[in-house]
Amino acid sequence: MYQFDEVRPTPHLLHDIAKGNIWDSQPLNIFGFNRDVGTAYETIWDDGGNYVYPSSAVAMDVVSSSASDTMQVIINGLDANYEAISETVTLTGTSAVTTSAAFFRINGAVILAGSNVGDISISNGGTNHAFIGAGIGTTQSSVYTVPAGHSIYLFRIDCTSGTVNGQKYLYLRNVATNSAGRTLRVTEATFFESVSFDRQVPFKIGEKTDFHFECKSSSSTNEVSLFVEAILVRES
């Protein structure tokens, strides 16, 4: 029987992880969105097209398309050693602000107040590595890199599309590249309106692995969204 307690662990493991009762594990919820997926595979992320990972740890330029955006943004990512880092920057509207930290990977970014009027881009050398759409407040990207000394355990993957045409299909796959450069394109699936993978045994992704999800349409374009439920575990 389930018992709720504010301090002690309970018989419900996933509740305890979400509540912070399990010291070496934390919940990881990933949401990706691409409103214009065409007939070639592209990343499910809010800036569209194929995501490009930085080739080295670099400072990021953070800028909005609106002069009204002057709130703080926290950027979460990894350094050159795949160790977790974060930095909070204060937007100055359409004038770029450069981070002090050098990011090798960006796993997400979110505004800390208000609502962003414009699109917020986080980039280096003109290439976006994170993006926050106007009025959204946070990144919507299926792109994630596993920190050093950790693993990801995927429990559930849901993917949906905006198509209403029964003759139009979507193709989904996961792309995982480890630090040695080996790339696997797996979990391929074909679906119409939605597909769901509810795993009884979670799928493990090891440390220092870049992964994201790609999708393509059988014809024309579609809006595609992706939901991932996972646990980030510090390995002994």
Side-chain angles (χ1 to χ4, degrees), residues 55-73:
S55 58
S56 61
V58 291
M60 295 289 171
D61 295 324
V62 189
V63 65
S64 174
S65 62
S66 171
S68 299
D69 289 333
T70 56
M71 70 281 288
Q72 289 185 318
V73 177

Side-chain angles (χ1 to χ4, degrees), residues 21-158:
N21 287 340
I22 309 299
W23 72 271
D24 61 351
S25 303
Q26 64 187 74
L28 183 63
N29 294 288
I30 298 172
F31 175 63
F33 181 71
N34 187 327
R35 67 179 67 254
D36 192 26
V37 171
T39 57
Y41 274 113
E42 57 184 275
T43 309
I44 303 176
W45 76 305
D46 35 7
D47 199 35
N50 292 306
Y51 186 84
V52 177
Y53 293 94
S55 58
S56 61
V58 291
M60 295 289 171
D61 295 324
V62 189
V63 65
S64 174
S65 62
S66 171
S68 299
D69 289 333
T70 56
M71 70 281 288
Q72 289 185 318
V73 177
I74 184 168
I75 305 167
N76 297 303
L78 306 178
D79 65 15
N81 296 314
Y82 291 88
E83 298 291 344
I85 57 171
S86 66
E87 183 173 342
T88 300
V89 300
T90 301
L91 292 174
T92 56
T94 57
S95 298
V97 179
T98 302
T99 63
S100 299
F103 287 86
F104 184 50
R105 295 290 185 264
I106 295 180
N107 281 337
V110 62
I111 64 172
L112 297 182
S115 177
N116 57 303
V117 176
D119 295 330
I120 299 172
S121 298
I122 302 173
S123 65
N124 176 270
T127 299
N128 279 352
H129 299 296
F131 179 86
I132 301 174
I136 302 300
T138 186
T139 49
Q140 301 183 102
S141 175
S142 69
V143 179
Y144 191 88
T145 300
V146 185
H150 292 71
S151 294
I152 296 293
Y153 293 84
L154 298 183
F155 279 85
R156 184 174 67 91
I157 303 167
D158 288 341

